């Protein structure tokens, strides 16, 4: 399989129906996670994106020191490599308890 080309303009759009289905499927796993999602601020994301050579963000699933599900964000360069020596993000507002009131994605 040939490595994808990275340019920062990839289209990652999906429909709301697909997004709702994907999040529902994730929550329905036999060992459902304790966190359905999380909020990251614009400033936190921009800090990653503003690094030299950064064209996007990669997300990793993780477990924090309390054993709770978390998301780790890292910048990505044009070769698809993580910019792990730069800004990273994880400390987010988890849902639950910090969930939106009306989003169909929260379950």
């Amino acid at each position: 399989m040939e490595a994808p080309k990275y340019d920062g303009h990839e289209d990652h759009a999906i429909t709301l129906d697909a997004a709702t289905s994907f999040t529902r499927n994730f929550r329905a796993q036999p060992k459902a996670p304790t966190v359905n999602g999380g909020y990251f601020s614009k400033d936190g994301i921009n800090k990653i994106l503003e690094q030299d050579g950064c064209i996007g963000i990669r997300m990793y699933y993780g477990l924090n020191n309390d054993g709770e599900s978390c998301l780790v964000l890292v910048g990505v360069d044009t070769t698809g490599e993580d910019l792990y020596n730069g800004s990273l993000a994880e400390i987010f507002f988890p849902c639950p308890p910090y969930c939106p009131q009306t989003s169909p994605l929260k379950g």
Side-chain angles (χ1 to χ4, degrees), residues 81-94:
E81 292 297 318
D82 291 344
L83 299 171
Y84 53 83
N85 287 318
S87 294
L88 303 170
E90 184 284 316
I91 301 172
F92 67 109
F93 296 100

Side-chain angles (χ1 to χ4, degrees), residues 21-100:
S21 176
F22 294 169
T23 58
R24 184 182 317 110
N25 291 345
F26 184 70
R27 290 188 308 274
Q29 294 180 80
K31 188 173 183 180
T34 57
V35 174
N36 295 334
Y39 163 82
F40 288 91
S41 72
K42 180 179 179 179
D43 289 346
I45 291 172
N46 281 338
K47 188 173 181 179
I48 294 172
L49 290 173
E50 291 170 352
Q51 297 174 100
D52 287 340
C54 184
I55 59 140
I57 292 178
R58 178 169 287 120
M59 176 196 70
Y60 288 96
Y61 298 106
L63 288 175
N64 65 23
N65 292 337
D66 295 327
E68 297 171 340
S69 300
C70 65
L71 303 172
V72 176
L73 305 182
V74 61
V76 176
D77 68 16
T78 59
T79 65
E81 292 297 318
D82 291 344
L83 299 171
Y84 53 83
N85 287 318
S87 294
L88 303 170
E90 184 284 316
I91 301 172
F92 67 109
F93 296 100
C95 170
Y98 305 103
C99 297

Side-chain angles (χ1 to χ4, degrees), residues 5-12 54-56 77-78:
K5 306 289 187 227
Y6 296 86
D7 66 10
H9 299 288
E10 294 79 11
D11 182 7
H12 302 284
C54 184
I55 59 140
D77 68 16
T78 59

